[in-house]
Amino acid sequence: MRHKLTYVLFFLIVACFSFHSVYAQEELASYIKQHYTKIERQIPMRDGVKLFTSIYIPKDESKKYPFLINRTPYTVAPYGEEFKTSLGPDSLFAKEGYIFVYQDVRGRWMSEGSFEDIRPHIANKKSKTAIDESSDTYDTIDWLLKNIPNNNGKAGIYGISYPGFYSTASLPGAHPALQAVSPQAPVTDWFRGDDFHHNGAFMLVDAFSFYSSFGVPRPKPITPDKATRVQTDIRDNYQFFLDLGPLKNVKKNYFGDSIRFWNQVTSHPDLDTFWRAREIVHHLKGVKPAVMVVGGNFDAEDQFGTYHTFKVLDSLSPKADNYFVVGPWFHGGWVRSDGSSFGDIVFNEPTSDYYQRNLELPFFNHYLKGKGSFDAAKVSIFVTGSNKWQHLDTWPPKEATSSRLYLQEGGKLSFNAPTAAESYDEYISDPNNPVPYQRGTNSRRSREYMIDDQRFASRRPDVMVYTTDVLQEDITLAGPLLAHLKVSTTGTDADYVVKLIDVYPADSPDPDPNPQNIVMSGYQMLLRGEVMRGKYRNSFEKPEPFVPGQLTEVNYALPDVAHTFKKGHKIMIQVQNSWFPLVDRNPQQFMDIFQADEGDFKKATQRIYHDAAHPSCLEIKVLAN
């Protein structure tokens, strides 16, 4: 009865929040029109190119205001006399009072110039034509300071996803007025872990969907109402991409030669100078502005970028004021939801509200207005399972100790190393019948797959499942995850997907109300899943074939985790060789997969070893409860 009342109360709160949210949005939109003046300017860069910029200036001239800037490839719309209905990172900022600046980046929408995806940074600029996103940001701030009255001489920058990249790019050689920067789910590395590749494996659905619209060339400055996209009719994305066949058919059947970045991706299958030039984090030395990196632990797009940006920044610029915030959010969920639940899982508090009121607004107010003493912990991270915020001095926590979860014969999982003299699981992986990434039929890639029930996968014969006994006490994992697999294949290449899962007890109550008929008894909650393209196991630059039948080590990192497995639950690890169509199909033949033909996709016999001489395991960090 207590659980039923809890769920009823939760859904009542959600309903009230939704009603209040609609009213609050209308009230905020009205407030903005009454209290802000909007102007639009073409701001000149050092090479003469002009960037379209929309500026919202407080009408109250009794005090001076800092600039809060968002640079985006996704349009600063609405253009003309129409106003945005919200200003700044979240709804609290408009009434706080800032000069809000929105800019179409070079080559996008109403800005002049040519667009370059994650434009490479130029460390030593020797002429006015040597431009990058850092210089465009510098020139923008310089112009604003000189041309927009009533400013206090300080500027901040924020952005989610691609605008998160532009936030990071503002840091090298930052303008002296730039005092606070917040890269949020920042695009950081498009080969190792963000958006379009994970450990060299191509993220098919996201790349195809994104570049069907984003990649269509812009012949001249245009507004969104005139934009076009590649036309597709996808009802079942699993079947659509299976029927599509090899990757070369994307260009043949849909993109042609019009999508420049698709052509670049397919021309650079390995980690080379093209990709390395786009790794902005290498330039984060001597950073002076305060930085707050923000992201979600269930972010399907840029979870890697969140953790990687903070770790590199903290390593290369240890004297800077660096902060790190991670919540139980999907991509942008800290502003696009109240953060009290995601998918089928409830977190028991509006985590987004906590972040916005206690971290984000105070951060910018302190560094840009000198308001308050920002005394937040260096790391604020929400631990799911226990559903509590942890405030730490470091990430990963220095108190966390290393341990290992070992795969065992008979589908067991244990903290003890295996003792069997010879033990392995053998099965067939077929790229023409790949393991789906999510249950059911989906027209688009859902964000909920990051946290969804994995029982649909555990029932397949080509997914190996390993489970602990029922836990006798809570176990909190906090930090990186490292997969150490001992494998063999009869092919010359293979993908490996490792998933970490929280298995709920049989007596777990269903939600009430329960319109989706969710069964929580035995629920297999995905916490982490990551793919490794096997040919890159030793080097992303120089792929190597597998020797058929030869035992081989495949070691790779999964994104960091912050989760408590509660007493009575079980820990599960699943291992599989496809994750379709999230990840493109590996032909299981050593080759350039972008050039594969229909006949190249072959079945292979896979082995996962778990004996005393060849233990497979997941290395974890355990935080004392």
Side-chain angles (χ1 to χ4, degrees):
M1 184 65 179
R2 179 172 59 86
H3 290 296
K4 182 175 182 178
L5 290 173
T6 299
Y7 279 114
V8 170
L9 179 61
F10 169 74
F11 282 103
L12 285 174
I13 291 172
V14 170
C16 291
F17 175 83
S18 299
F19 174 80
H20 179 266
S21 179
V22 172
Y23 174 79
Q25 289 171 4
E26 293 175 351
E27 190 271 338
L28 180 60
S30 176
Y31 178 90
I32 291 169
K33 288 184 177 180
Q34 293 174 18
H35 292 84
Y36 285 84
T37 298
K38 177 186 176 185
I39 64 173
E40 295 175 332
R41 296 291 184 268
Q42 290 278 9
I43 297 180
M45 301 293 103
R46 63 190 63 182
D47 64 345
V49 169
K50 295 178 181 179
L51 304 188
F52 185 92
T53 309
S54 182
I55 307 167
Y56 294 77
I57 306 169
K59 292 180 179 180
D60 179 4
E61 297 180 355
S62 65
K63 49 190 172 183
K64 296 182 182 296
Y65 302 91
F67 297 104
L68 197 49
I69 303 167
N70 181 265
R71 304 187 67 243
T72 180
Y74 298 135
T75 174
V76 304
Y79 298 91
E81 297 181 358
E82 192 175 349
F83 278 56
K84 286 184 176 293
T85 57
S86 182
L87 295 175
D90 63 60
S91 61
L92 301 175
F93 279 81
K95 293 185 179 180
E96 176 63 33
Y98 282 82
I99 301 172
F100 297 98
V101 179
Y102 297 89
Q103 185 175 78
D104 287 335
V105 297
R106 182 180 291 252
R108 293 293 293 177
W109 304 104
M110 293 299 289
S111 285
E112 298 175 353
S114 299
F115 178 74
E116 184 76 24
D117 271 290
I118 44 178
R119 188 186 301 275
H121 180 77
I122 302 172
N124 300 306
K125 301 175 180 65
K126 297 180 180 180
S127 70
K128 289 185 177 180
T129 59
I131 59 88
D132 54 24
E133 303 305 338
S134 300
S135 67
D136 280 357
T137 306
Y138 189 105
D139 294 350
T140 297
I141 294 174
D142 207 55
W143 186 94
L144 291 168
L145 291 167
K146 296 172 181 176
N147 292 275
I148 302 301
N150 224 42
N151 72 77
N152 73 352
K154 296 182 178 181
I157 295 179
Y158 71 96
I160 298 173
S161 194
Y162 220 143
F165 161 74
Y166 295 111
S167 300
T168 307
S170 73
L171 293 168
H175 194 288
L178 186 60
Q179 300 292 307
V181 176
S182 184
Q184 303 183 3
V187 166
T188 302
D189 188 328
W190 271 357
F191 193 84
R192 293 183 183 88
D194 287 324
D195 291 301
F196 306 131
H197 290 91
H198 285 206
N199 293 313
F202 188 56
M203 306 303 282
L204 174 59
V205 169
D206 281 11
F208 182 89
S209 174
F210 187 74
Y211 279 97
S212 292
S213 57
F214 189 87
V216 174
R218 182 204 68 165
K220 59 183 178 180
I222 60 171
T223 51
D225 58 303
K226 297 182 176 64
T228 60
R229 65 170 293 128
V230 175
Q231 295 302 310
T232 58
D233 183 21
I234 302 177
R235 309 293 179 88
D236 177 345
N237 62 14
Y238 183 96
Q239 196 61 47
F240 173 85
F241 286 105
L242 197 60
D243 292 343
L244 178 64
L247 286 176
K248 63 170 56 178
N249 290 342
V250 171
K251 185 174 179 178
K252 176 184 175 182
N253 297 346
Y254 292 99
F255 287 180
D257 282 322
S258 65
I259 308 299
R260 178 169 175 259
F261 193 72
W262 185 274
N263 293 339
Q264 290 174 326
V265 169
T266 58
S267 299
H268 299 275
D270 309 322
L271 180 62
D272 58 13
T273 55
F274 175 83
W275 296 111
R276 283 195 292 270
R278 287 163 169 75
E279 296 174 13
I280 187 65
V281 293
H282 297 314
H283 304 283
L284 299 182
K285 299 176 182 178
V287 166
K288 294 181 179 178
V291 183
M292 178 182 282
V293 180
V294 180
N297 261 332
F298 301 105
D299 183 343
E301 286 87 344
D302 298 303
Q303 185 184 68
F304 175 90
T306 297
Y307 280 97
H308 191 56
T309 298
F310 173 75
K311 289 177 181 179
V312 175
L313 175 67
D314 212 39
S315 173
L316 297 182
S317 294
K319 295 182 179 179
D321 289 351
N322 300 324
Y323 300 95
F324 190 44
V325 182
V326 181
W329 303 310
F330 57 85
H331 192 60
W334 48 98
V335 68
R336 296 165 182 163
S337 74
D338 74 343
S340 60
S341 66
F342 180 44
D344 301 330
I345 307 301
V346 176
F347 307 125
N348 299 332
E349 70 166 275
T351 58
S352 299
D353 184 72
Y354 174 86
Y355 155 70
Q356 292 169 13
R357 293 184 183 278
N358 296 284
L359 296 169
E360 185 172 47
L361 183 63
F363 170 76
F364 282 112
N365 275 350
H366 174 70
Y367 287 101
L368 299 183
K369 293 187 171 186
K371 186 176 179 180
S373 57
F374 189 64
D375 56 358
K378 188 180 191 71
V379 177
S380 297
I381 192 162
F382 189 85
V383 180
T384 50
S386 60
N387 292 337
K388 295 178 181 178
W389 286 97
Q390 287 269 13
H391 303 285
L392 306 163
D393 297 329
T394 61
W395 187 264
K398 58 180 177 290
E399 303 88 354
T401 58
S402 294
S403 187
R404 296 191 173 206
L405 284 165
Y406 291 94
L407 313 188
Q408 309 273 356
E409 60 183 336
K412 297 293 185 179
L413 185 66
S414 173
F415 286 96
N416 300 316
T419 57
E422 183 180 19
S423 181
Y424 57 83
D425 288 305
E426 183 177 278
Y427 57 99
I428 294 173
S429 63
D430 182 359
N432 294 304
N433 182 27
V435 179
Y437 74 100
Q438 193 172 27
R439 57 187 168 178
T441 301
N442 303 281
S443 59
R444 302 177 65 183
R445 193 269 289 153
S446 82
R447 60 196 184 194
E448 288 79 13
Y449 89 87
M450 292 286 292
I451 200 171
D452 260 0
D453 190 355
Q454 297 299 298
R455 281 178 284 197
F456 75 96
S458 63
R459 293 163 180 156
R460 284 186 56 123
D462 50 359
V463 177
M464 298 299 101
V465 180
Y466 307 92
T467 312
T468 65
D469 293 334
V470 174
L471 299 177
Q472 300 304 306
E473 59 182 15
D474 293 356
I475 297 177
T476 298
L477 305 192
L481 301 170
L482 299 174
H484 302 279
L485 300 180
K486 307 296 190 299
V487 301
S488 67
T489 177
T490 56
T492 52
D493 191 16
D495 284 352
Y496 292 92
V497 178
V498 173
K499 297 187 291 189
L500 176 66
I501 295 161
D502 184 344
V503 182
Y504 278 55
D507 61 355
S508 297
D510 297 338
D512 188 359
N514 188 13
Q516 302 300 320
N517 295 317
I518 299 164
V519 177
M520 295 305 297
S521 173
Y523 193 97
Q524 296 176 9
M525 172 189 174
L526 181 63
L527 294 169
R528 285 293 174 270
E530 188 58 290
V531 61
M532 178 73 198
R533 184 134 288 169
K535 65 182 178 180
Y536 297 118
R537 63 195 179 278
N538 295 321
S539 169
F540 289 116
E541 293 87 353
K542 298 179 180 179
E544 301 174 30
F546 286 79
V547 176
Q550 180 174 298
L551 195 147
T552 307
E553 292 188 10
V554 176
N555 304 317
Y556 69 98
L558 285 70
D560 293 26
V561 69
H563 181 78
T564 299
F565 293 85
K566 301 293 288 182
K567 177 182 177 180
H569 288 226
K570 298 177 183 178
I571 304 174
M572 175 183 286
I573 290 175
Q574 293 181 4
V575 182
Q576 59 200 58
N577 300 96
S578 53
W579 214 15
F580 189 76
L582 186 69
V583 179
D584 71 311
R585 294 179 301 147
N586 191 322
Q588 304 187 137
Q589 310 299 314
F590 181 75
M591 63 185 308
D592 179 355
I593 298 177
F594 289 113
Q595 305 306 318
D597 293 316
E598 291 279 359
D600 290 321
F601 294 84
K602 305 287 187 180
K603 293 180 181 181
T605 299
Q606 310 289 353
R607 284 185 179 182
I608 307 294
Y609 291 84
H610 36 64
D611 54 43
H614 314 106
S616 294
C617 67
L618 183 67
E619 187 176 345
I620 59 177
K621 292 285 187 179
V622 178
L623 188 63
N625 292 299

